[in-house]
Amino acid sequence: ELQEDREVVLCAVKEDGCVLEFLDDSFTCDVEVMLAAVSNTAEALVYADDKLLSDRDFMLQAVQRRGGALQFAHQEYSHDREFV
């Protein structure tokens, strides 16, 4: 039950972004949860839904929180001045 409670999940990913590995897939497309996880570690993006990874605004916010998130961005963003 706790793994399905959004507030508990938000607290957990702020402490360890990679805890997403053990959570319901619905959280991998939740912008707030994913950005909280990325604030802890860019590697949390390994678990992100493909739709989020291809969403320019989401990825820009992720990179602003953790520069390492750029490695998970779609190649088209590698030449975008806002990202680099």
Side-chain angles (χ1 to χ4, degrees):
E1 268 182 52
L2 290 177
Q3 290 180 342
E4 295 174 6
D5 184 312
R6 190 169 183 276
E7 293 306 313
V8 171
V9 167
L10 275 169
C11 289
V13 298
K14 287 177 183 176
E15 294 296 317
D16 180 359
C18 290
V19 77
L20 285 163
E21 176 182 4
F22 306 105
L23 301 176
D24 187 79
D25 287 345
S26 65
F27 293 112
T28 66
C29 58
D30 183 310
V31 172
E32 186 179 5
V33 169
M34 288 305 304
L35 288 176
V38 169
S39 292
N40 175 266
T41 178
E43 283 74 25
L45 289 172
V46 167
Y47 307 104
D49 185 270
D50 286 339
K51 289 180 183 178
L52 282 184
L53 293 175
S54 63
D55 181 298
R56 184 180 184 283
D57 291 332
F58 169 79
M59 286 307 300
L60 190 55
Q61 289 180 63
V63 169
Q64 289 170 345
R65 283 174 169 72
R66 286 274 173 187
L70 188 58
Q71 69 184 337
F72 298 97
H74 282 256
Q75 181 125 12
E76 65 191 75
Y77 301 136
S78 64
H79 301 292
D80 188 321
R81 289 180 186 238
E82 285 189 75
F83 281 86
V84 291

